[in-house]
Amino acid sequence: MVLTKAGLSRLLAEVLPHEGDVDAFAVASFGNAARRVARATDRAGKIALVVELAEPKTLLDKLSAAHPAAVARNEHLLAEDKRVAGAPIPEPGPTLGRDAELGKIGEAIHRDGPAVLLVGPAGIGKTTLALAALHAPASTQRFGGRRFHARLDTSRKLSAAVVEIARAMGLVPEAPLRPRILEALKRAPALLVLDDLDVVWQADPSNTADLITELAAIEGVAILATAREEIGRSAKLRTINVGPLGDAVARNAFCAIAGESRRNDASLGFLLAELSGVPLAINLLAHATGDGPLDGAVRNWNKKQNELLMRPDGPERPSAVEIAVEVIQTSPRLTDESKSLLSLLTLLPNGLLAEDLATILPGSGANAAATLKTLGLALEAGTRLRLRRAVRESVSTQASHGEVLRAEQFFGSLALSNGPKIGWPDSEAAAERLADDSDNIEAMILRGFDGPNRIASVDAAVALATFLGTSGHATPRVIERARDIARETGDKLGEADCTQALGDIALARGETDEARARYLDALPLFHQARAALSEANCLMRLGDIAADRAELDEARHRYADAVPLFRQVGDKLGEATSLRNLGDIAVTREDNDEARARYREAIPLFDEIGDKGAAALCQKGLGDIAFNMSEYDEARAIYEEIGPVLQELDDRLGIAQCMQNLGDIAFSRAEHGVAEKHYQKALPLLRELGEKHAEASCLQSLGDVALACAEPEDAQAYYLAALPLLREVGEKMGEANCIQSLGDIALTQFEHDQARSHYEEALGLFTALKDDYSIGWTHYRLAQVAADPDIFRNHIFASRDAWTNIGRQDLINDIANEFPGIF
């Protein structure tokens, strides 16, 4: 979402309702700017000043930190005219005669308790009641914009239901979705409707029950579900049965649509008996009656009922909704264009955006959609048109061939235009576009495989691969079907592309063994098809997997094989990246000459294509090598050269690492003031990035500087701040050194007992680590605080033994010179 001043002003006005609230927030969050805010004449002026003075993202972050629940509840205000935080919620329509049910629902969802389930047959009005509960003033007051409507009527797998919930909540399409849903719901109270829960329940009852239990257990979250049948006891749902409308209410509902002149028609009683008090059937038939007497409607009803009974694939006992849908499909009020759209919508699980209607049904789409909504066949949520579940299941007409082809082409083009953008900067809009229509895209690509759009459908399937892997939406079956088609037609390149795409999906979902197997399958196919670039990219992926597994020989082999292929096709980015990866492997193996050579080959290539970030990383690699080899002049020169580039790229981790290394260089040269400045610059960056290990190391280094400058109190504070971080990340060596330094501070203050305690604790850690060098020095320190000559001698001997193990005769000689005759 793009943050605007208007949106932030709306949010601040809601979250900070009093003038004093704005002043307090400004003082707590913006320091000196609070004075200017305080001088404003009223609350509106104060809010305007805060919005004007603060960077938008910083302002939202600070407001969220200060008032997390209130911000979550009102986040929809950031976007103009947005009424809920997630996807738009359809209007409920009339709820005649449902006051009792609405009262029960309101009572149930506005108190902490089990999830609520509305049970009733198709068309009885469960969705209408659920939507009415979402729009009720009490719901708006309690939940704010955190009211979500998840349509599960096409979710025949639990994973599909999770996608629908994420879609309803407006979450970023990024796998894994389930923990993201749970985390988002925990932010503040929310009302979540799971409409048509029985669909996914029938497919996977046990895991669906677990999901409901998990959602309902979140404090402040109310779950309202609908189903055509009772859900098993394992879900622990409070059931509210939704029955038919009474005779008087049914008559009023019919006449409200068909006209008051029908109230005394002799045939109305028969029709109402046939409609059985089912609101959707009443709605549809009332629209279908036309202007003539109702006896014609009765004849049409009987005719359609008989046709359904005689149809081989028809129901054994047609419901009122099924007959009403058949009747309205023959009504003159349903135009040919509306019939075409109605049939097409049965193929599109996500419905249709209004803006897409003009492409798929040029010239007639808008009017056709308006007719479907007026007749009660479809619902509108925001700008998206969807069929009611009961209507979709009963529609018998078939969409025309031309319309289906246009839909296949349209949704295939969505995949082709947006799929390749995923994984690149600024891909959020492309991911959201694909997520909104992911089920439609999958359905249309699968249909396209069997028609004239076959080749384009295969290309569209491959274009979706990265999105399928990273988003948690849809399934890989479109890629699998595309691969099979390519294999059947002898298209080696197409088969290889699809096989590699399946590997990409597996890799994005953390299934590295499966990914590696698919890449190995694709590699010879690319070679046979003489697709050098694709072969090189496949080798790169295999190298990345091997590198992540620390299989360095395998990784080096794959990257080295990729380099000449990238060079052959002139792909400088691929060549440079492979060379950099080879350099990284050489660094891991401490082969500094090889690493330097590879980095130096890669840098001019990155410079040539204008990739400043990658070139800077290679330069930093050269600086790190020089640093590790104690070639400090060269390392310092490189770090200082790339510093402005890292600043420009906002590479905060790279900046912090360079600062830390520059601090170490300065400390090694006794430039203590310079070292402290570098460490102090690195510390807040590392803390902000959550790099606890590096933060602890930086604190420890600041302690070392303070100790070297004879500032024991500062040194002690730094070491004590570093210790819990070191323990949290399990850095035993750093912990031991830190404790030993605390012992050194105690020793300088003549607190020998405290020093001895620290040294003994450090010795235990060094012994566990089998670090003879440090063991020797710790025994040496313990000798300094030994009050007994025998204990002193034992520690000195222990130092000698430890250093003997590692061949450090020079250290042993130093002790012998310090204590003549000790040995």
Side-chain angles (χ1 to χ4, degrees):
M1 179 186 296
V2 177
L3 295 177
T4 64
K5 292 181 180 179
L8 286 164
S9 296
R10 287 191 294 268
L11 181 61
L12 283 164
E14 187 65 34
V15 174
L16 306 173
H18 306 293
E19 191 171 326
D21 298 331
V22 185
D23 288 331
F25 173 68
V27 169
S29 303
F30 297 107
N32 295 333
R35 294 184 179 180
R36 290 185 60 187
V37 174
R39 288 197 292 268
T41 56
D42 56 16
R43 184 173 76 104
K46 293 175 188 291
I47 288 174
L49 261 176
V50 169
V51 172
E52 188 66 34
L53 293 172
E55 192 273 327
K57 186 177 184 308
T58 301
L59 174 56
L60 181 58
D61 289 344
K62 289 183 178 293
L63 188 65
S64 298
H67 304 279
V71 169
R73 187 175 178 275
N74 296 288
E75 231 165 19
H76 59 290
L77 297 174
L78 289 169
E80 190 172 5
D81 295 330
K82 204 170 191 304
R83 298 183 180 182
V84 291
I89 301 171
E91 292 296 326
T95 55
L96 294 174
R98 295 300 195 191
D99 290 347
E101 289 93 336
L102 285 171
K104 289 180 182 178
I105 295 168
E107 180 185 349
I109 64 176
H110 292 295
R111 68 181 185 187
D112 293 333
V116 180
L117 179 70
L118 305 182
V119 176
I124 204 67
K126 303 181 295 299
T127 296
T128 299
L129 286 170
L131 291 173
L134 283 166
H135 285 281
S139 297
T140 305
Q141 183 176 358
R142 179 179 179 188
F143 302 111
R146 290 171 59 77
R147 293 170 287 127
F148 311 114
H149 180 227
R151 296 173 55 96
L152 309 183
D153 54 326
T154 59
S155 301
R156 305 197 181 279
K157 290 183 178 180
L158 185 63
S159 58
V162 170
V163 166
E164 285 299 338
I165 295 169
R167 190 182 275 135
M169 294 176 65
L171 299 183
V172 173
E174 188 175 325
L177 291 174
R178 186 162 172 167
R180 292 179 181 279
I181 290 169
L182 299 174
E183 190 60 35
L185 287 174
K186 289 175 183 176
R187 294 180 62 202
L191 173 57
L192 173 61
V193 168
L194 304 176
D195 209 357
D196 292 304
L197 179 63
D198 55 301
V199 175
V200 66
W201 181 272
Q202 290 170 359
D204 192 352
S206 177
N207 288 318
T208 302
D210 289 344
L211 176 62
I212 296 169
T213 301
E214 198 171 16
L215 295 171
I218 301 172
E219 185 178 355
V221 171
I223 304 295
L224 175 60
T226 73
R228 292 182 181 176
E229 57 192 30
E230 288 277 1
I231 298 295
R233 293 179 180 272
S234 57
K236 298 180 181 178
L237 299 166
R238 176 184 173 182
T239 299
I240 297 176
N241 290 304
V242 182
L245 299 177
D247 290 345
V249 175
R251 185 178 293 268
N252 289 338
F254 186 92
C255 293
I257 297 169
E260 280 298 316
S261 62
R262 308 299 179 86
R263 186 175 291 276
N264 298 318
D265 192 302
S267 298
L268 180 57
F270 173 82
L271 278 179
L272 291 177
E274 291 295 311
L275 293 169
S276 307
V278 177
L280 180 56
I282 294 169
N283 187 344
L284 295 176
L285 192 63
H287 279 110
T289 53
D291 299 325
L294 292 183
D295 57 352
V298 172
R299 288 193 298 273
N300 200 13
W301 179 274
N302 289 330
K303 177 185 176 185
K304 292 300 177 184
Q305 185 176 31
N306 290 331
E307 287 177 359
L308 280 171
L309 287 168
M310 296 296 292
R311 208 166 69 194
D313 61 340
E316 186 175 333
R317 295 184 61 186
S319 69
V321 170
E322 288 170 321
I323 301 170
V325 171
E326 285 294 314
V327 170
I328 202 167
Q329 286 182 93
T330 61
S331 168
R333 294 190 178 184
L334 191 67
T335 63
D336 290 341
E337 292 83 3
S338 298
K339 290 178 184 177
S340 297
L341 178 57
L342 177 66
S343 301
L344 184 60
L345 284 171
T346 63
L347 306 177
L348 300 174
N350 302 130
L352 261 178
L353 280 172
E355 63 194 63
D356 298 338
L357 278 168
T359 303
I360 298 175
L361 290 175
S364 61
N367 290 334
T371 300
L372 294 184
K373 287 183 289 183
T374 300
L375 298 179
L377 291 163
L379 289 170
E380 184 180 46
T383 57
R384 189 170 286 272
L385 186 72
R386 298 174 179 272
L387 285 189
R388 299 176 185 271
R389 174 186 172 187
V391 171
R392 188 180 62 252
E393 293 171 343
S394 304
V395 170
S396 57
T397 57
Q398 300 294 317
S400 75
H401 183 64
E403 288 154 0
V404 174
L405 284 182
R406 280 198 296 273
E408 290 172 8
Q409 291 165 353
F410 174 77
F411 287 107
S413 70
L414 280 184
L416 287 166
S417 59
N418 291 287
K421 297 176 183 177
I422 305 301
W424 293 89
D426 303 320
S427 65
E428 184 177 338
E432 289 178 358
R433 185 68 181 95
L434 292 173
D436 286 342
D437 278 295
S438 58
D439 301 323
N440 287 346
I441 293 169
E442 181 175 352
M444 290 297 102
I445 289 177
L446 287 170
R447 288 186 67 92
F449 289 145
D450 298 320
N453 291 322
R454 169 180 277 206
I455 295 175
S457 295
V458 171
D459 292 341
V462 174
L464 271 184
T466 302
F467 172 76
L468 295 182
T470 59
S471 68
H473 284 241
T475 67
R477 63 178 178 155
V478 291
I479 314 287
E480 292 167 349
R481 180 75 179 107
R483 177 200 57 196
D484 295 342
I485 289 171
R487 185 179 293 158
E488 290 164 9
T489 58
D491 179 1
K492 294 291 184 187
L493 181 56
E495 183 184 352
D497 283 336
C498 293
T499 304
Q500 181 172 269
L502 288 169
D504 292 343
I505 294 170
L507 188 63
R509 295 182 175 180
E511 301 163 358
T512 52
D513 287 338
E514 172 68 13
R516 185 174 184 276
R518 296 291 73 77
Y519 294 146
L520 289 172
D521 289 341
L523 197 58
L525 294 170
F526 283 130
H527 188 73
Q528 292 170 37
R530 298 184 179 180
L533 178 58
S534 297
E535 184 179 354
N537 284 321
C538 195
L539 286 164
M540 180 86 84
R541 288 167 167 84
L542 285 166
D544 292 343
I545 290 174
D548 287 342
R549 292 176 165 183
E551 297 168 354
L552 300 186
D553 287 338
E554 166 77 3
R556 186 179 185 283
H557 169 63
R558 298 300 182 185
Y559 293 139
D561 284 350
V563 169
L565 291 170
F566 281 126
R567 194 171 289 153
Q568 175 186 328
V569 298
D571 185 338
K572 296 185 185 299
L573 176 59
E575 180 185 354
T577 303
S578 297
L579 289 167
R580 186 185 70 194
N581 291 341
L582 287 168
D584 293 343
I585 291 171
V587 166
T588 304
R589 290 178 150 178
E590 299 182 0
D591 187 346
N592 293 322
D593 290 340
E594 168 73 8
R596 276 176 162 156
R598 298 292 79 77
Y599 288 145
R600 285 169 178 163
E601 281 185 87
I603 288 169
L605 293 170
F606 283 128
D607 286 340
E608 189 175 342
I609 59 179
D611 193 336
K612 289 184 179 180
L617 284 176
C618 289
Q619 289 276 23
K620 182 176 177 295
L622 291 172
D624 292 342
I625 291 169
F627 175 80
N628 292 330
M629 296 179 70
S630 300
E631 297 170 356
Y632 291 147
D633 287 338
E634 181 181 347
R636 175 181 276 178
I638 291 173
Y639 291 144
E640 290 175 347
E641 179 185 349
I642 65 172
V645 180
L646 296 176
Q647 291 280 1
E648 181 184 343
L649 297 168
D650 194 28
D651 182 356
R652 290 177 291 173
L653 180 58
I655 294 166
Q657 290 171 338
C658 287
M659 287 295 108
Q660 205 164 2
N661 287 356
L662 283 168
D664 291 346
I665 292 169
F667 184 69
S668 71
R669 294 177 169 178
E671 299 169 357
H672 296 142
V674 175
E676 184 182 13
K677 287 180 181 178
H678 286 311
Y679 292 140
Q680 292 289 10
K681 287 180 181 178
L683 187 60
L685 293 174
L686 295 169
R687 189 169 287 152
E688 182 183 346
L689 293 167
E691 294 286 335
K692 294 184 178 181
H693 188 289
E695 180 189 348
S697 175
C698 198
L699 286 165
Q700 198 167 357
S701 296
L702 283 165
D704 294 342
V705 170
L707 195 58
C709 293
E711 297 170 348
E713 290 182 359
D714 288 349
Q716 185 177 44
Y718 284 126
Y719 292 138
L720 289 174
L723 265 177
L725 292 171
L726 292 165
R727 287 169 177 153
E728 185 177 344
V729 299
E731 176 48 58
K732 297 294 184 183
M733 181 63 74
E735 181 185 352
N737 283 321
C738 214
I739 293 168
Q740 189 177 77
S741 295
L742 288 170
D744 293 343
I745 293 171
L747 183 61
T748 63
Q749 296 172 339
F750 303 104
E751 297 173 355
H752 287 185
D753 289 341
Q754 184 67 33
R756 183 183 302 109
S757 175
H758 285 312
Y759 291 149
E760 287 173 349
E761 186 179 357
L763 181 61
L765 292 168
F766 286 134
T767 301
L769 293 167
K770 299 180 180 178
D771 180 4
D772 286 315
Y773 177 83
S774 299
I775 290 170
W777 277 117
T778 310
H779 277 296
Y780 174 83
R781 284 170 164 84
L782 281 165
Q784 310 307 303
V785 294
D788 184 288
D790 290 336
I791 295 175
F792 170 84
R793 184 181 295 272
N794 289 339
H795 281 304
I796 294 295
F797 287 168
S799 293
R800 179 197 61 186
D801 295 342
W803 289 333
T804 298
N805 290 338
I806 56 174
R808 291 300 302 267
Q809 188 61 41
D810 57 325
L811 297 177
I812 297 170
N813 291 340
D814 288 343
I815 291 181
N817 292 332
E818 185 177 356
F819 306 108
I822 188 69
F823 298 134

